[in-house]
Amino acid sequence: MNAVMKSVRCVAPGELEFADRPALGSPPEGWALIDVAHVGICGTDYHIFEGKHPFLAYPRIMGHEVSGTVVEINGPTDISVGQDVIINPYLSCGKCVACRQGKPNCCVSIQVLGVHRDGAMSEQLLVPVENLFPADGLSLAEAATVEFLAVGAHAVRRSMAVGGQRALVIGAGPIGLGTTLFARIAKQNVTIMDVSAERLAFASRQLGFLVIDASKGQVSEKVSERTVGAGFDVVYDATGNSRSMQAAFAYVAHGGVMVLVSVVQDDITFSDPEFHKREMMLIGSRNATRADFQHVAASIRTGAIPIDQLITHRTTLRDSPRDIARWAHQKSGLIKAMIDVRGGS
């Protein structure tokens, strides 16, 4: 076993370091040692790099969208050494009120790889065995997309919406696009809204969705026109923008539901009379569960998710400090960037 491993650390805001670090060694009981294969770069990683993440201590090895191969296991599991795996990066306590109710995605003391503890932008990673899923039938690059897609799949499941209902997804970034794709898989009639003409063109031409361009105003009129004056049965906000989240209440039909997929530090306010006369539901959606990971993996296997169109940028671990710094500001054409940890290092 190697004595060192290569990794990329965010030493401080705006400063990424590619360097050798001590290898992780054998896993503790209940954990597995993983050789990392691919890491997706998420909006969270850009926020960490830019110093905008509110709950992070530097230095930090980023990365929570990850696939790899099992090197060593310490504890009983159906996973085997040498097996390619998808990794759930949400480490839960298993004991709190949420975990006891089968909701480890909102564990009271949750730790997310790459945020609360070091993550996957490294040649090796230690992970609890219960956080591993077989990557059977998926390439390792596809396996590294499962986490970000599972966030949208979870939001759709949380909505409790049924097939045939009108759905509006606000925000055409990776999480919004994932939500849109899984709303379509759930047979909802989906429209996606954004202020970016480039992202709307991608959603329309490449993925085949109806779109609303919010950059030119008159959004309420466009929503009314699209829904014959009724509003949308379900609205998902994936913008991470408090003004967008507050405005979205007005787009929900009577008896409808709004799902807040993204999170902001701001307070969100709304008109109580408008909320009550609609008898609408407001639902928060956080992370994802085992069922969501399994649903996403199955959907990729059947070809329902166009992974090749979603992965638009690629880099290596060695080149990722340069590329992350560039992509943090130059997002034209960028949907999902992927680090090939085993390539070019």
Side-chain angles (χ1 to χ4, degrees):
M1 190 173 292
N2 293 334
V4 296
M5 63 178 184
K6 299 184 185 304
S7 66
V8 170
R9 288 198 306 172
C10 191
V11 179
E15 184 180 350
L16 295 172
E17 173 190 74
F18 175 77
D20 287 337
R21 301 187 69 233
L24 296 176
S26 294
E29 185 176 357
W31 289 61
L33 178 65
I34 307 297
D35 273 350
V36 177
H38 288 80
V39 184
I41 303 172
C42 172
T44 297
D45 301 317
Y46 295 121
H47 288 156
I48 293 170
F49 170 70
E50 294 171 321
K52 296 178 180 178
H53 198 288
F55 307 116
L56 188 115
Y58 297 91
R60 177 65 69 223
I61 297 176
M62 304 183 299
H64 61 273
E65 301 176 7
V66 55
S67 66
T69 305
V70 178
V71 176
E72 187 178 347
I73 298 171
N74 186 355
T77 176
D78 293 334
I79 301 294
S80 304
V81 170
Q83 189 166 8
D84 291 338
V85 289
I86 303 159
I87 294 171
N88 177 345
Y90 320 130
L91 278 58
S92 56
C93 72
K95 301 175 182 178
C96 72
V97 61
C99 289
R100 294 198 305 270
Q101 296 181 57
K103 299 179 179 180
N105 58 301
C106 56
C107 170
V108 170
S109 55
I110 196 167
Q111 290 191 313
V112 181
L113 295 176
V115 179
H116 305 100
R117 58 189 300 150
D118 282 343
M121 292 187 188
S122 182
E123 291 182 315
Q124 294 181 330
L125 182 66
L126 288 169
V127 183
V129 293
E130 65 265 24
N131 287 59
L132 303 178
F133 301 83
D136 299 345
L138 274 61
S139 71
L140 284 165
E142 290 173 332
T145 68
V146 170
E147 188 277 336
F148 95 83
L149 291 167
V151 173
H154 184 71
V156 171
R157 187 159 62 89
R158 288 278 290 154
S159 77
M160 297 176 284
V162 298
Q165 290 190 311
R166 296 188 184 103
L168 174 67
V169 178
I170 309 173
I175 298 299
L177 290 173
T179 304
T180 307
L181 288 163
F182 280 93
R184 180 162 67 186
I185 288 171
K187 302 189 184 305
Q188 297 168 20
N189 296 322
V190 193
T191 296
I192 189 164
M193 181 165 74
D194 204 291
V195 296
S196 167
E198 180 182 71
R199 288 196 167 180
L200 290 176
F202 177 86
S204 175
R205 297 171 190 168
Q206 302 299 112
L207 303 180
F209 288 107
L210 296 173
V211 301
I212 292 176
D213 185 349
S215 68
K216 301 174 182 177
Q218 299 182 315
V219 173
S220 295
E221 291 85 347
K222 294 173 183 176
V223 168
S224 180
E225 179 182 345
R226 185 62 54 85
T227 61
V228 199
F232 286 92
D233 301 300
V234 55
V235 174
Y236 305 93
D237 192 286
T239 62
N241 181 289
S242 58
R243 287 180 297 176
S244 172
M245 295 160 79
Q246 290 176 168
F249 282 81
Y251 311 147
V252 180
H254 282 238
V257 58
M258 185 162 80
V259 183
L260 298 181
V261 189
S262 55
V263 61
V264 295
Q265 294 190 66
D266 305 326
D267 292 337
I268 303 298
T269 62
F270 56 89
S271 166
D272 187 59
E274 289 293 324
F275 180 79
H276 270 81
K277 81 176 186 181
R278 287 172 167 78
E279 199 184 47
M280 64 177 282
M281 289 189 293
L282 176 62
I283 295 175
S285 183
R286 186 183 186 193
N287 300 333
T289 66
R290 173 175 288 269
D292 303 309
F293 276 75
Q294 292 170 334
H295 178 37
V296 171
S299 299
I300 295 173
R301 290 186 190 104
T302 63
I305 303 296
I307 295 296
D308 288 344
Q309 296 184 52
L310 296 177
I311 301 176
T312 55
H313 293 56
R314 298 176 186 268
T315 188
T316 64
L317 192 63
R318 181 181 297 275
D319 292 338
S320 62
R322 176 200 66 197
D323 291 333
I324 290 171
R326 179 161 51 92
W327 294 333
H329 305 288
Q330 298 176 13
K331 289 189 166 61
S332 179
L334 175 63
I335 302 297
K336 175 56 61 179
M338 186 71 65
I339 301 172
D340 182 352
V341 174
R342 300 175 184 174
S345 59

